[in-house]
Amino acid sequence: MSKAAKRSRADAFGSLLGALPDLSPDARPPISAVPLQNIQIRPSQPRRHFSEGALASLVQSVREQGVLQPVLVRPVTGGYELIAGERRVRAAQLAGLTAVPAVVRDATDEQADLLAALENLQREDLNPLDEVDATLTIVARQLKIAQGEVLPLLHAQRRTPQPEVTEQLDGVFAQLGRGTWRSFASNKAGVLRFPPDLLDLMRQGTLEYTRAAALARIKDEPLRLQLTQRTLKEALSVRDIALAARPDKAVPEQIMRVRTLLDERRVGRLGLPEQGRVKALLSELEALLLGQGQRSTRAKSKRS
């Protein structure tokens, strides 16, 4: 994301903070050094998973340059509660720092939820589930309704529009800059229809969206649960999941078993001619197995 785009997004988010006068991007609130041991992580923090590689990179940056962007905290009994900036806090801890620069502001639980959701939406590695969760939090706050009421309201608006509500929704989504509320309700919010176990894995950072979507398309629940476990253990690709979910799945599972046995690192240590032979043999084996499966299917059809 370009600097101009980040600034534009920040300005849009700042306009959503009307109830918090000193938190707009131009307010330049004072920054304090807050001891890390005095910062508590909120149980309802929207971000639940942090990429190990990205976190390691940030730790190195913090060691070399310190924490460049202050975190946001609010005073609570016994210290401070983190509102935004958990990744920076974790990186500072791993880098051996004892304090981080922080903006300290009084905020209600509702305001803290809003601010955390706004920061979450600005992440460059935002996944569809995080985006939906953050958007629901913001829309609920702006319309002063419970978060669980947002989607039913959006669907009701599509069926029977109420001009005043439509205007409010248009305004909020225009500020967020992530499409219209209609497209959100029709497309992005569909991730919430995934089975609960897949949503839990996504929120834990164990399963990314693309493979979760492939698993969610499997209607046979025992098969889906089985393939979910295999996906976690064997790192099945989206294509592997789709093959294993086919009605005639005996042959594809044989193909997948062969692929699983092939160690990419071991093959990579072979010379180029040997690597080419391995690929040729694998292609030949796959063709044989697929041909066998097709002949078996035709034979069953004739018998029936």
Side-chain angles (χ1 to χ4, degrees):
M1 184 183 296
S2 67
K3 291 183 178 179
K6 288 181 180 179
R7 176 64 181 175
S8 176
R9 180 67 55 79
D11 288 343
F13 289 159
S15 68
L16 290 171
L17 303 178
L20 301 170
D22 290 331
L23 289 175
S24 65
D26 298 322
R28 302 187 183 280
I31 297 173
S32 308
V34 173
L36 284 167
Q37 64 180 10
N38 294 347
I39 297 178
Q40 308 169 19
I41 304 297
R42 303 180 68 230
S44 58
Q45 277 295 99
R47 190 169 190 181
R48 304 164 182 86
H49 170 68
F50 298 85
S51 164
E52 292 185 5
L55 186 59
S57 176
L58 182 58
V59 170
Q60 183 62 32
S61 172
V62 168
R63 287 196 179 111
E64 295 174 357
Q65 305 179 54
V67 178
L68 301 179
Q69 181 181 356
V71 302
L72 179 63
V73 298
R74 64 174 180 170
V76 295
T77 304
Y80 303 91
E81 186 177 71
L82 185 69
I83 296 176
E86 184 176 356
R87 196 167 74 100
R88 277 162 277 159
V89 166
R90 291 193 182 199
Q93 291 170 332
L94 292 172
L97 273 61
T98 59
V100 290
V103 173
V104 182
R105 283 292 179 269
D106 290 322
T108 65
D109 289 345
E110 182 186 41
Q111 291 166 342
D113 287 341
L114 172 65
L115 288 165
L118 288 171
E119 192 204 41
N120 207 28
L121 271 184
Q122 295 182 73
R123 285 168 38 204
E124 294 186 12
D125 62 341
L126 192 67
N127 68 54
L129 182 56
D130 286 346
E131 179 180 352
V132 168
D133 284 343
T135 301
L136 291 176
T137 297
I138 294 166
V139 175
R141 193 271 186 187
Q142 292 302 102
L143 270 61
K144 296 180 172 54
I145 60 176
Q147 187 166 326
E149 298 175 10
V150 174
L151 277 180
L153 174 66
L154 297 183
H155 292 311
Q157 278 297 111
R158 293 179 64 198
R159 293 191 300 268
T160 311
Q162 299 179 23
E164 183 179 342
V165 177
T166 298
E167 184 178 354
Q168 284 182 294
L169 291 172
D170 286 343
V172 174
F173 277 82
Q175 288 174 315
L176 292 179
R178 289 183 176 272
T180 68
W181 61 268
R182 296 173 183 82
S183 65
F184 175 83
S186 300
N187 303 314
K188 292 182 179 180
V191 68
L192 296 178
R193 292 194 291 270
F194 287 8
D197 60 299
L198 295 180
L199 291 177
D200 287 342
L201 291 171
M202 290 177 69
R203 289 190 170 109
Q204 294 164 14
T206 310
L207 187 67
E208 78 277 9
Y209 172 76
T210 53
R211 291 192 293 173
L215 290 165
R217 285 192 285 269
I218 302 173
K219 304 304 180 185
D220 183 335
E221 184 174 1
L223 175 60
R224 180 180 59 75
L225 293 173
Q226 175 192 354
L227 285 177
T228 298
Q229 292 304 311
R230 285 192 57 192
T231 298
L232 297 177
K233 290 179 181 178
E234 303 172 23
L236 300 183
S237 68
V238 171
R239 182 172 182 273
D240 291 336
I241 294 168
L243 285 172
R246 283 167 46 177
D248 182 13
K249 52 185 175 295
V251 171
E253 289 216 12
Q254 289 174 348
I255 296 172
M256 289 169 60
R257 195 175 301 118
V258 171
R259 287 178 175 160
T260 301
L261 290 174
L262 287 172
D263 185 344
E264 291 184 4
R265 289 174 296 181
R266 182 180 299 172
V267 174
R269 289 196 290 268
L270 297 174
L272 291 179
E274 289 80 8
Q275 289 184 32
R277 176 131 179 87
V278 168
K279 292 178 181 178
L281 288 171
L282 180 59
S283 297
E284 183 180 352
L285 177 59
E286 183 171 352
L288 286 171
L289 290 173
L290 285 173
Q292 180 186 30
Q294 292 168 357
R295 288 192 296 274
S296 175
T297 300
R298 288 195 294 269
K300 288 179 183 177
S301 298
K302 289 180 180 179
R303 287 197 297 271
S304 61

